[in-house]
Amino acid sequence: AHVAGGWQRIDYGLNMKVMIGMMVAHTGAWLTVCLGKHQPHNVTFYLANGLVYLAGLLEVKDFPPLWGHLDAHALWHAATPLLSYAFYHFLAADGCVSSPPALEGKGLKSL
């Protein structure tokens, strides 16, 4: 729908609610996994997700640009690459701990 010009009719309020709902569901699923198996790298998950929720406030609670350039949306985009890196670092560590024999059989080393 976006490609065909449907982007002009998107209800952004509904879109925001759906995205927040998906984020909460995603966090709940991973939280269930982390609380079920206590691993040292779970701290990375807790920290990354906590910071994602704090950064998410920038997306939801907008403010006028600082110094005429830095608004909430710009700061959100500045934060997301670092937070994505932290979350994928957790995923890599979790994958190495969860299935080291599968990794070593492919010539890969576990962390």
Side-chain angles (χ1 to χ4, degrees):
H2 293 7
V3 176
W7 60 271
Q8 295 172 349
R9 295 182 299 273
I10 291 176
D11 180 352
Y12 287 101
L14 177 61
N15 182 59
M16 187 64 76
K17 290 175 187 172
V18 169
M19 292 298 113
I20 291 171
M22 290 176 66
M23 183 176 166
V24 169
H26 179 264
T27 301
W30 273 109
L31 192 57
T32 303
V33 170
C34 288
L35 293 175
K37 58 178 188 172
H38 302 285
Q39 300 290 339
H41 62 268
N42 288 357
V43 173
T44 306
F45 167 78
Y46 302 133
L47 182 62
N49 264 332
L51 291 173
V52 163
Y53 277 90
L54 286 175
L57 291 174
L58 293 171
E59 191 71 7
V60 176
K61 301 289 184 188
D62 201 6
F63 57 82
L66 303 171
W67 306 288
H69 299 296
L70 289 176
D71 65 350
H73 195 76
L75 293 174
W76 159 256
H77 281 288
T80 52
L82 299 172
L83 298 173
S84 296
Y85 175 79
F87 183 71
Y88 283 111
H89 181 73
F90 157 75
L91 289 178
D94 191 61
C96 289
V97 168
S98 297
S99 57
L103 293 174
E104 291 167 4
K106 305 270 190 243
L108 302 171
K109 296 179 185 176
S110 61
L111 295 177

